[in-house]
Amino acid sequence: MSDNNTESVHDVDAVDAVVVGAGVTGLYAVHKLRELGYRVRGFERGADVGGVWYWNRYPGARCDVESADYSYSFDEELQQAWDWSEKYATQPEIMRYLSHVTDRFDLRRSYTFGTSVVSAELDGETLRWTVRTDDGDGGGEVLSARFCVFAVGCLSSTHQPSIPGLDSFAGDTYHTGEWPHEGVDFTGLRVGVIGTGSSGIQSVPLIADQAAQLTVFQRSANYSIPAGNKPLDEEARRELKAGYAERRRLARLSGGGSPFMTHPQRTLEVGERERRKAFEKRWELGGVLYSKTFPDQLTDLAANHAARAFWEEKVRALIDDPAVADLLVPTDHPIGTKRIVTDSDYYETYNREHVRLVSLRENAIERVEGQSVYLADGERFELDALVLATGFDAMTGSLDRIDIRGRGGRLLKDDWSAGPRTYLGLGTDGFPNLFNLAGVGSPSVLANVILCAEQHVDWLTDCLAHLDAHGYVAIEAAERAVEDWVTECRERAAATLMMSADSWYLGANIPGKPRVFMPFVGGFGAYGEIIADVAASGYKGFDLIPG
Ligand code: FAD
Ligand code: NAP
């Protein structure tokens, strides 16, 4: 392999596009870019495809959007060929599905696995990108690419909490987002789980099934709703497949990328009985869509209180000890302003003798020493294993780790130091022919991400076909369009309750990260219309650069 600074022209692989990441977004991007006739190279840090489903193998990992919706829609035969076994598929089943898709469209041949893209540098003259990779073993490649497509994921850089002594914990430590492939057997062990977001809440009941003692360390309580998960029998699967066309049509119009619409009226416009009926229906549906029962739940505090009160009544009924229930009911943020968790038996787990909930709010973890976790008041927990369900440096974490230099050597990370700057989430001024998919500035994590990935990739490949058909070499977001989009995203978020929670949407979970609401809050369907309109107008807001 050549030294990064001295590679000769012959060492450099010239391609049309480099795709970074082999999660649901990268895989579809490779497929569609190849359909354009492009020479594409994909790179993935993991040893195989799958993205978050490759990394997050903790017990209880499942999708929180129904399997039928959290699946590709672009190929009718694929849709009809795949049988989901449960309403919410487990991580292994989703991995089997993504592997099936990969084989079906022969996508692995375009990828180099176990290899990270470490830098991308623009040549301001040719407008081509020099991309460098690292295989972690002293090797790597240099490529020259016309297009750089980042599909690095919003939740792909784990957040390791800075707890004194954690690194030297004498038991075993696991992060939910980097779970060992061989699995972990907690049978008979004293286990501690730090973190009660989706990953903690999904894993706690299963860890409790094995552990001799389980201590859950909770800093903030979260809102969770039982999934109502169930097996899908032959008849249910037949019905799903027959109804796919309509299901997808509705999903594309919806706010969240699933085929469910909010109640037509505002929360307090309807009577008490009607309101409870609507909440009950959503509760039965299970999961995150509870936050979209009524259209004003995330904009009007009184409406939010009504949703919250119903939730609290339901959840308290599941927990035997009212003092434990007091700890499990959030008081610090409106419901839905952090992602609502979709669980199976989470609250009931605290009714088990060997499970203890420890609130860190007034009594934080002070240090880890040997096999012990000490709280500020001196209480000590002797543990054999610690599970860190502490989340991710979300939305920007993986991009920040790549040295991306655009016009004049500008570093993307510096450009985004006060928060991400994009036009439509897709492009940034100063970085022509560089695209960031299903991430900041777009609905991404606020919607069904597989449909978001399809929406972005379809837009992108239509755009590139347009460039080629009209003899343009490059496309670049205009500075003004970026500024306007940043303002629009900020103003839309400010008009909601989303700014009031210390969520990872705002970067609040990472010390020192600017507090900026990173996804586009206006809804999946509305966003689809905006980007379609931009394309139809001949890509207004972008500069198209002739050859
Ligand atoms: P990812 O799946 O994150 O894939 C990105 C890939 O890029 C990763 O494999 C990573 O290793 C790779 N990568 C990053 N940087 C580099 C680099 N420099 N070089 C090479 N490779 C790199 N969303 C939903 O809509 N519904 C759900 O039910 C749902 N469940 C989730 C469950 C978990 C446990 C998590 C963590 C997230 C979940 N999400 C869910 C959100 C999830 O992020 C998306 O659904 C989706 O899987 C993201 O796909 P992606 O391809 O965009 O990114
Ligand atoms: P998360 O929502 O960010 O939760 C992290 C948890 O760790 C929080 O409870 C946080 O407390 C706690 N924490 C972080 N640092 C800590 C510290 N130093 N000391 C004590 N506690 C600390 O992360 P996640 O659970 O991995 O989920 C991230 C996102 O991934 C979800 O919101 C969801 O979008 C997706 N996901 C989905 C599913 C699914 O159901 N399909 C499953 C997993 C993940 P604070 O809240 O106080 O910061």
Side-chain angles (χ1 to χ4, degrees):
M1 284 299 139
S2 58
D3 180 286
N4 277 351
N5 297 319
T6 59
E7 69 271 356
S8 77
V9 179
H10 304 291
D11 294 327
V12 177
D13 188 9
V15 297
D16 296 304
V18 161
V19 173
V20 192
V24 298
T25 309
L27 288 173
Y28 184 51
V30 164
H31 174 61
K32 287 278 292 194
L33 288 164
R34 281 192 341 204
E35 276 189 348
L36 281 183
Y38 282 2
R39 182 152 184 269
V40 183
R41 291 282 308 274
F43 292 93
E44 167 55 55
R45 176 159 51 88
D48 200 1
V49 299
V52 300
W53 303 105
Y54 170 89
W55 298 104
N56 293 262
R57 293 165 188 251
Y58 60 83
R62 289 176 186 278
C63 49
D64 61 1
V65 168
E66 285 185 51
S67 322
D69 303 312
Y70 191 68
S71 56
Y72 289 114
S73 71
F74 70 88
D75 186 277
E76 179 58 14
E77 281 179 23
L78 164 67
Q79 203 160 250
Q80 294 298 326
W82 187 260
D83 283 318
W84 291 108
S85 71
E86 291 178 86
K87 182 177 171 192
Y88 295 100
T90 58
Q91 176 272 334
E93 185 167 5
I94 299 171
M95 271 302 282
R96 283 198 296 282
Y97 170 73
L98 293 176
S99 198
H100 168 83
V101 173
T102 303
D103 292 342
R104 197 178 178 99
F105 298 99
D106 190 18
L107 302 176
R108 272 195 191 82
R109 72 177 159 84
S110 293
Y111 272 99
T112 305
F113 293 100
T115 300
S116 296
V117 164
V118 291
S119 68
E121 191 177 352
L122 181 76
D123 179 325
E125 290 292 308
T126 62
L127 297 187
R128 287 185 71 86
W129 289 89
T130 300
V131 176
R132 291 189 168 84
T133 73
D134 179 354
D135 67 5
D137 228 3
E141 280 186 69
V142 184
L143 299 98
S144 164
R146 181 175 169 209
F147 300 109
C148 265
V149 178
F150 287 96
V152 292
C154 293
L155 298 160
S156 53
S157 284
T158 53
H159 167 53
Q160 309 288 338
S162 55
I163 297 172
L166 183 62
D167 287 350
S168 56
F169 175 59
D172 294 317
T173 310
Y174 308 97
H175 194 292
T176 49
E178 290 166 352
W179 202 258
H181 285 208
E182 61 280 13
V184 181
D185 183 3
F186 291 110
T187 307
L189 301 183
R190 296 160 302 175
V191 184
V193 174
I194 301 178
T196 49
S198 301
S199 304
I201 287 178
Q202 281 193 330
S203 59
V204 156
L206 279 100
I207 296 174
D209 281 345
Q210 292 188 335
Q213 279 173 33
L214 174 61
T215 310
V216 180
F217 297 98
Q218 169 187 278
R219 192 165 63 183
S220 309
N222 237 316
Y223 295 96
S224 186
I225 295 198
N229 188 36
K230 56 184 181 202
L232 297 175
D233 61 18
E234 206 35 58
E235 198 191 326
R237 290 204 286 254
R238 238 194 333 270
E239 258 177 45
L240 270 180
K241 287 181 183 180
Y244 253 130
E246 180 61 2
R247 205 173 170 109
R248 299 299 198 179
R249 189 185 71 78
L250 291 174
R252 288 193 186 98
L253 294 173
S254 72
S258 290
F260 301 98
M261 300 299 161
T262 55
H263 191 285
Q265 286 165 286
R266 294 165 67 85
T267 311
L268 302 177
E269 273 170 17
V270 302
E272 168 77 9
R273 254 187 79 208
E274 168 81 11
R275 191 158 57 237
R276 285 189 68 86
K277 207 171 119 199
F279 285 139
E280 185 69 48
K281 210 167 142 200
R282 279 294 163 113
W283 179 272
E284 289 303 319
L285 183 65
V288 289
L289 291 168
Y290 184 77
S291 63
K292 295 192 166 73
T293 311
F294 289 95
D296 54 346
Q297 249 168 266
L298 289 172
T299 49
D300 177 358
L301 203 51
N304 192 280
H305 277 318
R308 186 191 179 286
F310 185 89
W311 174 90
E312 182 171 350
E313 186 186 317
K314 286 282 194 187
V315 163
R316 283 192 182 271
L318 301 174
I319 306 161
D320 292 346
D321 182 345
V324 174
D326 285 348
L327 294 179
L328 287 168
V329 172
T331 51
D332 63 345
H333 65 283
I335 188 166
T337 53
K338 290 183 177 180
R339 190 175 182 87
I340 293 184
V341 182
T342 304
D343 76 272
S344 299
D345 298 329
Y346 176 63
Y347 294 108
E348 295 88 330
T349 301
Y350 293 101
N351 300 334
R352 301 178 72 172
E353 281 287 304
H354 69 300
V355 179
R356 177 168 167 203
L357 179 68
V358 172
S359 173
L360 303 178
R361 264 293 136 134
E362 277 90 37
N363 193 14
I365 296 176
E366 194 197 67
R367 68 182 195 283
V368 173
E369 205 176 283
Q371 272 189 240
S372 301
V373 169
Y374 289 88
L375 302 189
D377 71 355
E379 189 173 4
R380 167 173 171 243
F381 297 83
E382 179 90 358
L383 301 170
D384 302 303
L386 250 184
V387 173
L388 305 179
T390 48
F392 302 88
D393 180 357
M395 317 278 319
T396 52
S398 286
L399 270 188
D400 279 352
R401 283 157 179 73
I402 307 171
D403 192 272
I404 301 171
R405 288 178 192 274
R407 288 189 189 278
R410 268 161 65 182
L411 195 58
L412 186 80
K413 195 177 163 176
D414 287 348
D415 258 28
W416 288 16
S417 59
R421 295 180 65 259
T422 75
Y423 176 42
L424 309 174
L426 286 156
T428 298
D429 56 308
F431 297 82
N433 283 355
L434 184 139
F435 304 92
N436 183 39
L437 302 185
V440 295
S442 73
S444 61
V445 288
L446 298 179
N448 167 0
V449 180
I450 295 199
L451 291 199
C452 292
E454 289 187 341
Q455 189 184 55
H456 261 182
V457 171
D458 290 343
W459 186 95
L460 171 68
T461 47
D462 285 351
C463 167
L464 303 192
H466 177 88
L467 298 186
D468 291 345
H470 295 87
Y472 296 110
V473 286
I475 180 167
E476 178 177 357
E479 186 179 351
R480 180 65 197 267
V482 171
E483 278 162 12
D484 288 350
W485 187 248
V486 169
T487 304
E488 176 161 357
C489 287
R490 190 180 55 233
E491 285 175 354
R492 282 185 186 248
T496 71
L497 303 173
M498 303 301 277
M499 298 301 289
S500 61
D502 286 337
S503 68
W504 56 258
Y505 301 138
L506 275 161
N509 63 328
I510 302 297
K513 206 163 166 170
R515 194 179 172 93
V516 174
F517 194 83
M518 293 180 278
F520 169 80
V521 80
F524 175 73
Y527 174 82
E529 279 177 25
I530 293 170
I531 61 172
D533 178 52
V534 167
S537 72
Y539 299 94
K540 66 182 171 200
F542 287 99
D543 295 328
L544 305 185
I545 303 163

